[in-house]
Structure formats: structure tokens, C-alpha cells
Amino acid sequence: IIGQGDTLATPVQLAQLISTVAEHGMEAKPHLVEKVGDTPVKPQIRHIDGSYWDTLIHGMRLAFTAFPEKWFLGPSVFPDNVSVAGKTGTAQTSRGDGWTHAWFMGFSPVKDPKIAIVVFLEYGGASSYVSVPVARDFLAGYWKLHGVEVHIP
């Protein structure tokens, strides 16, 4: 569980959150089964109204094009058609200073999302230096499987 004070979330809840953001408020209930036999299992979906989805997504995209993280997930690594939007976090723990959890949640590509990802590293430290490179490597593997050329510096 990740969180501070009264706000706690599991990695699955964060994956659901980031995919809801990526889909402009279309929230699918997490499920593990794609089909039973030949019958597809359709996820339960609800729409969350909001007028700031584009603003939020734009900010999450800027975090990986205009700031130091651009060297991990920005245009120097991924071509524009597989752009990444995301949010890092460093969660404090009851162990005190120096014992923080590193996490990242994001999706790609920004315009037509195909994948959402959450990286959580228990006692991993500063998220930008730890969880973002893990997300980069995972996304690079995903996109390579789909025929996209990526460049990891």
C-alpha cells in the first residue's frame, strides 16, 4: 500500500487511476480474464465527468519532455508516436528519513493509449532516479515487441 496519512492506494488502484486519466474519465473495473472459452469477458466501465482531463494529461506529458526526466522517457528515448505521460512519487514510510518508496505511474502513447504502467519499488528511494528508469526499460521492451525503434541512452 502506498500513501501518506489517510491516503492509501495499492499499485492496482494506481493502475486503474492512470488508465482512467489516459482514457479521459472512462474507468474500467480491473479484471484478469480476457475470455472464457471463446466468449470475451467485457470489463465493467463507468464514465467520470471532468473538464480538465486534457490539462492534466498535458501536464503529465510535459513532465517527460520539459524537465530532467525527459532523458529517461522523453523524445530522446521514444519517438513522438509513442510519447509517455506520467507522474512520479516518493512515499514516506514509518521507518523515517532515507526509507522512502519510489513509484511511477504513466501511459503511452499519449494520444491513443495502449499501455498503462505502475512501478512501485519498496524502499527504492527517490522515484525519478529509480522507478522512472524501470518504467523506461519496461516500456522500451513493450514497444520493441510492437515494432517500434527506441533509443535508450
Side-chain angles (χ1 to χ4, degrees):
I1 294 182
I2 306 165
Q4 292 177 285
D6 292 337
T7 304
L8 301 174
T10 67
V12 170
Q13 289 169 321
L14 291 175
Q16 184 177 16
L17 169 66
I18 196 63
S19 52
T20 301
V21 169
E23 296 295 335
H24 293 82
M26 297 304 288
E27 180 187 56
K29 184 176 181 181
H31 62 287
L32 298 174
V33 178
E34 183 176 359
K35 61 183 175 177
V36 176
D38 292 330
T39 306
V41 175
K42 295 188 179 198
Q44 297 174 356
I45 297 176
R46 72 179 181 134
H47 184 260
I48 299 171
D49 289 330
S51 57
Y52 295 100
W53 295 116
D54 289 329
T55 303
L56 179 60
I57 291 168
H58 178 69
M60 293 174 75
R61 174 68 181 127
L62 280 178
F64 296 98
T65 56
F67 295 98
E69 284 84 354
K70 71 182 179 183
W71 303 113
F72 294 117
L73 291 170
S76 63
V77 178
F78 296 105
D80 195 46
N81 62 325
V82 293
S83 57
V84 178
K87 174 70 179 97
T88 61
T90 303
Q92 297 174 339
T93 70
S94 59
R95 287 192 176 181
D97 292 341
W99 292 96
T100 56
H101 302 315
W103 64 271
F104 168 84
M105 64 178 177
F107 59 92
S108 178
V110 173
K111 292 203 184 286
D112 184 21
K114 303 292 184 213
I115 183 171
I117 182 173
V118 172
V119 174
F120 174 76
L121 300 168
E122 188 173 28
Y123 303 115
S127 61
S128 294
Y129 301 108
V130 182
S131 62
V132 172
V134 170
R136 176 204 57 206
D137 292 350
F138 184 89
L139 288 168
Y142 175 84
W143 286 116
K144 283 180 183 179
L145 285 174
H146 289 82
V148 176
E149 186 175 336
V150 298
H151 306 281
I152 296 178

